[in-house]
Amino acid sequence: RWGSALKKLFGKIVGPEKTWAKVLAIAGAVGLAVLIFGGMNYRVEAPFLLRTENVSFMSTPYDGYISEVEAEVGDIFKAGERLLSLDTRDLLLEKAAAAADLTRYLREEEKSRARNELGDMRIFSARATQAQVQLEAIEHHLSQAEIRSPFDAFVVEGDLKKRLGAPVQQGDILFKIARLDRLYVEGKVDERDIHEVAVGAEMEIAFASQPKQKFPAHVILIEPIATTADSDNVFLVRAELDTVPEDWWRPGMGGISKIEAGHRTFFWIVFHRTIDFLRLFFWI
C-alpha cells in the first residue's frame, strides 16, 4: 500500500510511465550533484596521548632509612609539598659529635696560641676546619632529609609506603613525578593524511575515558621524520591545549583527536581513499 501510494504521488510529478526509473534517475542525479558540489569541513582523525614537558626522578640524597611516606602513585602535590622523609636520628647524633669536636679543637687551638706552641696550634686549627666541614656536610644532609616536590606534579611511579624503615642508598630512585602545568597533546597522524595537516590547524580531542567531552587545541609542531606504530608509518603532531587542564587529566591518558583540514567535497571525502588506492595499483 505504501509503495502504491508513493508511485501515485511520484506519478503526478514525473508522469505515470516508468515512474520508478525516473525517480531513481532524479535521485541519482541529485545525489551525484550533492557529492560533487556539496561539501563540509574535513577533519583528519588521529589517536593522541597526553604528554608533559617535564618528568623528574626524585632520588635519595644520602644513605639512610625511610621514615615517613606521604606520596602514593596517582597523588597530586603542589610545589614544595613533602613526598617522603628520611630518618634523621643518626645524622643528629653525628651533628652533635661534630659540633663537640669543633668546640674542643677550637679550645685546644686557643690554648696552643696562648702557650705560643705554633705547631700544635696549626694542627688543632686544621682539625677544627675539618670538623667544621663535616658539620656543614651533616647539616646539608639534614636539609635534604625531606624530599619535596619541585613543582606542581603528579606521582607516576613510587609505591614506598610498604617500605617504611627500609634502607636506601644514595642515588636510589624514589619517585617519578610528572609536571601538570605543561601538558600537551601528541597525536599520531597516518602518513596518508599528514599532507592535510598544517601548523596552526584547529583540533578537538576526546579522551577514551570521557568521550562525551571535547576539548579544543591547535597544532604547533609536526615532526619531520616518520615513526613506526603498529606496523604503520605515522608522524607525531604536537598540539597546545586551548583550555585549562581538568583535575582528572593525567599524563599518558589517550583518546581520539580531530584535526581541521579545510573544506572538501562529499565526493572527495567518500572516495579519496579508493582513488589513491587505484592510482597506486594501476600506476596512473
Side-chain angles (χ1 to χ4, degrees), residues 139-157:
E139 289 177 344
H140 178 64
H141 284 163
L142 284 172
S143 67
Q144 296 177 312
E146 291 186 346
I147 309 299
R148 296 182 177 274
S149 176
F151 40 71
D152 294 350
F154 164 76
V155 180
V156 179
E157 296 178 5

Side-chain angles (χ1 to χ4, degrees), residues 76-84 147-150:
I76 295 177
F77 287 84
K78 298 292 184 181
E81 289 187 338
R82 186 176 63 179
L83 305 177
L84 177 144
I147 309 299
R148 296 182 177 274
S149 176

Side-chain angles (χ1 to χ4, degrees), residues 10 12 26 65 128 136 141 145 154 164 168 173 202 225 239 249 253 273:
F10 290 141
K12 295 179 181 179
I26 294 173
Y65 297 88
E136 291 176 356
H141 284 163
F154 164 76
L164 291 177
V168 288
I173 302 300
E202 299 295 326
I225 300 176
W249 289 11
M253 297 180 72
R273 293 277 193 227

